[in-house]
Amino acid sequence: MNLEPRYRLRVYLLTALVLGGFGVLLSRLYEFQIVEREGFVKKAPGPRTITVREPGIRGTIKDRNGIELARNRRDYEISFNLQEIQDAFRRQRADEKTIDTPFWDDGMQRLRKESDILDIVKKQVIGPLEELGLAKDFKSKALVSHYKTHGGLVPFSYTTDITYEQFARYAEHSLDLPGVYLNVKPQREYPYKALACHTLGFLRQWGKGDIPEEAYKRFGYQYVGDDRGVAGVEATLDDMLRGVTAENPNGAEGYKVIVKDEKGKIVGERPLDAQDPGTGAEVTLTIDAEVQYLLSNVLRRAGTASGVVMDVRTGEILAMASIPDYNPNDYVPSITEAKKHEYDSNPLFPMIDRSISAFSPGSTFKVPTALTGAMNGLATRVYNCSGFVPYGSTKVRCWIDQKGGSHGGLTLPQAIQKSCNPYFMRMANDLGPKKMLDGFKMLGFGEKTGIPLPGEYPGMVIGSREWQRRNPKERAVPTPVNVAFMSIGQGYSLATPLQLCAVTSCVANGGKYYHPRLVKKSVDQKGKVLIADEPRLKVDLIKEGVKPSDLELIRTGMRMAVNQPGGTAGRVKIPGYEIAAKTGTAQAEIVNGYPRHNSWTMAFGPYENPRYAICIFVHEGKSGGAVCGPLVHLVMRGLLSRDEGMKLPLHPLEPVPGKLEAIKEIALPEDVLAAIDVTQDDGETGDEAADAATAAGIVPGNPDNNQPAVTPSPTITPEADAGGTVAPRQGKKTPRKR
């Protein structure tokens, strides 16, 4: 009786151990047969299926008239799955019962060194490709690095430099080469080269970090990703162009299911199952390709410049260009090291889009000052110009004071025509810092316009967040001299050509400030509208208290600046038309003791029935009227000529590296000079206020625009080296038979 409990306990323990053992066994059986079944099936001899992802076709980008600015062309690529090549090599060595090999350790289960993959590829793949006459030079270090980083998950792109004839010849023999794939895929193309390059942007080839987690299980070693936009609308509308939606997070991807035998060779000539890739959304820009070509060609007359053309009736951007520029095709499918060095070593930074970068605006800021004055009932004031305005011991001069004169009493139109500094400084001081800041913010200064381009600068006006960030030691309330410099676009003031063009458009159309629009519409492949073609009104100045008669005073002043003696914008004049304009010149910085200048001209026309607003900026232009005025004239003349029926040209544009040198004047054609009067004063130089700014401790605006706001990370094409160079073929070899 004393032994019975002990016996019972042993039985219980034995039973628990047996049940536990069976539980572990069942758990392992479930793991092998259910959870890891697919992996073991792939390893087992015999046919197996592999699903290969095919990237979607990127949507096209067109101009407003349907001209393709970014499209896709057929590209033929040979790629290597290094894992499959390695497995095929191991099986071959096992079949030959060869264990004395420099490549393997531990029963040929792993490579001794990653660099041995290069020797395997040469033996297994490059040799047969040589026999087919399809071998290409490649970067051996890049292949080894690719293997270390990606293994067999990401295919290694061997070459895209093959013709259709080579493609067809390879297709006849491709089944003999395990791990080697021939792909037909769309490749991005920019048919007009540098035209609108900053607006369009470029792509970066996909990498391992772009692979979604769920794709590892679905596609395994056969994931082929989508190229991604890293600049311009290619970046900001990347998801839309790839067809990515909430319902379809994988975009327009397709797939094909292929069957391989135990040796890794493809079985059958057709996929077991397939779904063709779809196409991303079609994006239509507001850009007019012909106007873009006109503006870009005109800007090439200057060294470093930018410009914007807008439709004043809708806020649509018809053209936006920046010099120097680049060719986005250089990044397709990847940029060479030599070309990347060429762009990176250019001290003028061709990747910068100067049309959305901020610079000292000079006297162009007199127009938003006048608009702010009109909002507050000061448009009919008469202010006196004695040649300068004193601020303590500092005198801020008018440009005419450099010639020993003064303007005397001026009305608002006369002050705009003659670009008088004291008039607008006195108006700004009467308004005070708060009203000036509120008025300028209403007109979009000190904040981004919101167009879909990366790297847009907000600009800067005193009292704004950007001003406070850059000048933390300044007083919370700006001083009168700060406000005065803001009114004439000197000191801390910064603005972009796009911001100034938008304000010009507002003045032209009677006070309606439209949000600048770059994308006209976007439609997916099912016809669903993703972006509607609708103007967006930001503010109507008439509803904000500006009298139509006061706004007309500002318009009149800009018309007088072009068409009457004493104006600063005489070179904008076009015989047979009335054009209105405002010039500006600002001293931006001093380099090696010499001042550098920003020159501007903004204009609209025709005066009575305005359609176009233009703003052009030239870095190192000595005079807005003499440098930017002729450029605006040429652009406006081309636009008006087209309206009369003349056809504007359109051709691919080669990029220009730009130059930075002082420009005193840009000459107009002789027939134009004979028809207009250019004896008027050129007006402000920017130097008249610079001395006072220095005395007052105000540093001229320098927006740190010497670097791109966002530095894109392109894919670089490695150059072929000795390890990846195909040796010259000795004699003629017979192609391998299937």
Side-chain angles (χ1 to χ4, degrees):
M1 294 293 294
N2 293 334
L3 296 176
E4 186 175 322
R6 245 182 241 178
Y7 174 74
R8 188 175 301 156
L9 178 61
R10 290 175 182 175
V11 171
Y12 289 159
L13 288 174
L14 180 61
T15 303
L17 288 172
V18 171
L19 291 175
F22 271 109
V24 172
L25 179 62
L26 289 173
S27 174
R28 293 295 289 169
L29 285 173
Y30 176 81
E31 183 177 346
F32 283 124
Q33 294 187 15
I34 305 299
V35 178
E36 299 183 7
R37 178 180 181 278
E38 185 176 347
F40 285 111
V41 167
K42 290 181 179 180
K43 294 180 180 180
R48 67 184 189 280
T49 60
I50 296 176
T51 303
V52 180
R53 182 186 189 271
E54 294 187 320
I57 301 171
R58 196 172 181 86
T60 58
I61 303 175
K62 299 181 177 181
D63 87 330
R64 64 189 299 112
N65 299 312
I67 296 173
E68 292 182 339
L69 301 176
R71 64 190 183 192
N72 305 295
R73 60 179 173 83
R74 292 171 66 88
D75 185 48
Y76 305 106
E77 177 192 48
I78 297 176
S79 62
F80 297 162
N81 188 304
L82 300 178
Q83 186 67 50
E84 287 192 46
I85 294 172
Q86 172 187 326
D87 292 343
F89 177 82
R90 183 176 63 237
R91 286 192 298 269
Q92 179 181 336
R93 287 295 185 271
D95 292 343
E96 296 173 357
K97 298 181 180 180
T98 303
I99 59 174
D100 185 18
T101 169
F103 302 129
W104 302 94
D105 275 333
D106 302 335
M108 302 195 309
Q109 294 303 306
R110 62 183 178 84
L111 287 172
R112 283 182 181 169
K113 299 182 298 183
E114 287 92 344
S115 59
D116 287 338
I117 189 65
L118 178 62
D119 295 311
I120 294 175
V121 168
K122 285 183 176 182
K123 289 180 178 293
Q124 292 289 110
V125 178
I126 303 301
L129 287 179
E130 283 183 339
E131 294 181 13
L132 295 172
L134 292 170
K136 299 286 185 178
D137 291 342
F138 66 99
K139 183 75 171 178
S140 61
K141 292 180 181 178
L143 185 145
V144 174
S145 175
H146 184 95
Y147 177 78
K148 290 179 179 179
T149 305
H150 304 294
L153 182 62
V154 178
F156 173 76
S157 180
Y158 173 59
T159 182
T160 57
D161 184 24
I162 57 175
T163 64
Y164 176 76
E165 290 73 18
Q166 291 173 319
F167 171 86
R169 184 148 45 94
Y170 172 82
E172 297 178 2
H173 304 274
S174 60
L175 302 183
D176 292 334
L177 300 173
V180 180
Y181 292 87
L182 186 67
N183 309 308
V184 181
K185 65 177 185 178
Q187 185 160 282
R188 207 56 161 175
E189 180 182 40
Y190 303 92
Y192 293 98
K193 298 184 178 180
L195 187 75
C197 61
H198 296 97
T199 299
L200 296 172
F202 58 89
L203 306 181
R204 172 181 58 80
Q205 286 183 311
W206 66 283
K208 187 176 181 180
D210 299 325
I211 304 177
E213 189 66 31
E214 57 90 18
Y216 284 89
K217 296 180 180 179
R218 185 178 175 195
F219 297 106
Y221 294 154
Q222 301 301 324
Y223 186 91
V224 180
D226 302 293
D227 293 340
R228 301 297 180 100
V230 294
V233 294
E234 291 277 30
T236 54
L237 302 183
D238 183 65
D239 282 351
M240 197 175 295
L241 290 164
R242 291 191 295 115
V244 175
T245 62
E247 300 79 17
N248 192 13
N250 296 320
E253 70 178 13
Y255 67 86
K256 60 182 178 182
V257 180
I258 59 177
V259 180
K260 288 193 171 186
D261 63 18
E262 66 277 5
K263 294 185 178 181
K265 295 181 180 181
I266 299 174
V267 177
E269 296 184 358
R270 294 184 179 181
L272 189 66
D273 186 21
Q275 176 179 301
D276 292 335
T279 304
E282 179 179 285
V283 173
T284 300
L285 303 180
T286 60
I287 295 294
D288 187 313
E290 292 180 353
V291 179
Q292 182 75 28
Y293 184 79
L294 169 67
L295 176 64
S296 299
N297 264 325
V298 168
L299 291 179
R300 277 160 164 71
R301 294 171 177 254
T304 303
S306 64
V308 181
V309 180
M310 293 180 66
D311 187 331
V312 306
R313 303 166 298 181
T314 60
E316 294 176 342
I317 299 170
L318 301 178
M320 187 161 61
S322 179
I323 301 297
D325 50 15
Y326 64 93
N327 185 352
N329 290 303
D330 290 335
Y331 292 86
V332 180
S334 57
I335 191 168
T336 65
E337 294 177 347
K339 181 59 70 172
K340 184 175 187 299
H341 175 73
E342 177 185 326
Y343 287 146
D344 290 348
S345 62
N346 186 337
L348 300 180
F349 302 101
M351 309 310 295
I352 292 179
D353 186 352
R354 287 171 169 80
S355 60
I356 56 174
S357 299
F359 305 94
S360 301
S363 291
T364 58
F365 255 27
K366 292 171 183 175
V367 171
T369 300
L371 289 169
T372 304
M375 293 177 203
N376 294 277
L378 300 183
T380 56
R381 289 279 184 93
V382 175
Y383 290 100
N384 183 67
C385 169
S386 60
F388 62 89
V389 177
Y391 292 95
S393 60
T394 302
K395 291 182 178 180
V396 183
R397 297 181 296 161
C398 184
W399 64 268
I400 200 171
D401 183 55
Q402 294 178 300
K403 299 183 178 183
S406 63
H407 288 122
L410 295 173
T411 62
L412 179 56
Q414 291 172 329
I416 294 174
Q417 174 201 9
K418 300 176 184 297
S419 195
C420 176
N421 286 348
Y423 182 98
F424 291 98
M425 290 189 291
R426 294 184 187 280
M427 174 181 278
N429 288 145
D430 282 351
L431 288 167
K434 185 179 186 307
K435 290 181 179 178
M436 281 287 286
L437 177 60
D438 291 344
F440 273 65
K441 286 183 66 177
M442 186 179 294
L443 295 170
F445 294 102
E447 59 187 33
K448 298 178 181 180
T449 66
I451 63 167
L453 288 178
E456 182 187 11
Y457 281 81
M460 183 168 62
V461 291
I462 58 164
S464 67
R465 291 182 179 179
E466 185 69 8
W467 179 76
Q468 293 172 354
R469 183 184 71 82
R470 291 177 180 240
N471 305 281
K473 296 182 180 180
E474 289 285 344
R475 298 181 184 180
V477 179
T479 63
V481 69
N482 285 140
V483 176
F485 276 111
M486 176 178 171
S487 71
I488 61 174
Q490 299 275 5
Y492 297 113
S493 301
L494 297 172
T496 70
L498 178 59
Q499 290 173 332
L500 288 167
C501 194
V503 167
T504 306
S505 178
C506 175
V507 173
N509 67 28
K512 290 182 172 61
Y513 186 106
Y514 289 102
H515 286 279
R517 291 178 60 210
L518 182 61
V519 179
K520 190 170 182 65
K521 64 179 179 179
S522 178
V523 182
D524 69 12
Q525 293 304 301
K526 295 181 180 179
K528 181 181 178 181
V529 177
L530 305 178
I531 298 177
D533 183 8
E534 297 174 353
R536 294 175 53 222
L537 183 66
K538 181 178 187 289
V539 64
D540 187 340
L541 296 184
I542 303 303
K543 294 181 179 179
E544 297 296 327
V546 176
K547 297 178 182 178
S549 58
D550 289 348
L551 184 62
E552 189 58 34
L553 292 176
I554 299 171
R555 286 167 45 88
T556 299
M558 295 179 68
R559 177 178 56 80
M560 292 167 58
V562 176
N563 300 284
Q564 292 190 13
T568 62
R571 289 173 172 82
V572 178
K573 185 175 181 179
I574 300 175
Y577 293 92
E578 273 200 321
I579 309 298
K582 180 71 192 80
T583 62
T585 312
Q587 187 184 111
E589 55 188 340
I590 297 178
V591 179
N592 298 326
Y594 294 96
R596 284 185 172 175
H597 297 79
N598 297 329
S599 62
W600 303 80
T601 294
M602 55 189 199
F604 68 86
Y607 184 81
E608 294 298 337
N609 186 24
R611 180 175 179 182
Y612 305 109
I614 302 172
C615 179
I616 287 183
F617 159 82
V618 173
H619 192 41
E620 271 294 66
K622 292 296 185 180
S623 165
V627 176
C628 295
L631 301 179
V632 169
H633 170 101
L634 294 171
V635 174
M636 185 70 78
R637 192 179 184 186
L639 292 170
L640 298 176
S641 296
R642 188 176 72 158
D643 289 347
E644 292 180 350
M646 187 187 81
K647 175 69 174 176
L648 290 178
L650 176 60
H651 305 288
L653 271 179
E654 296 296 335
V656 291
K659 55 185 177 181
L660 189 60
E661 58 183 28
I663 304 174
K664 292 187 63 176
E665 180 181 4
I666 291 180
L668 285 168
E670 291 296 329
D671 61 324
V672 175
L673 290 173
I676 64 176
D677 179 15
V678 293
T679 60
Q680 297 118 303
D681 296 318
D682 289 333
E684 68 285 318
T685 65
D687 297 330
E688 67 274 357
D691 294 340
T694 302
I698 299 174
V699 180
N702 187 357
D704 299 328
N705 280 344
N706 293 329
Q707 298 285 345
V710 178
T711 303
S713 300
T715 306
I716 302 174
T717 302
E719 296 178 357
D721 55 24
T725 300
V726 179
R729 298 176 65 191
Q730 302 296 325
K732 186 176 181 180
K733 295 185 179 181
T734 303
R736 302 169 75 232
K737 295 182 179 181
R738 294 175 57 181

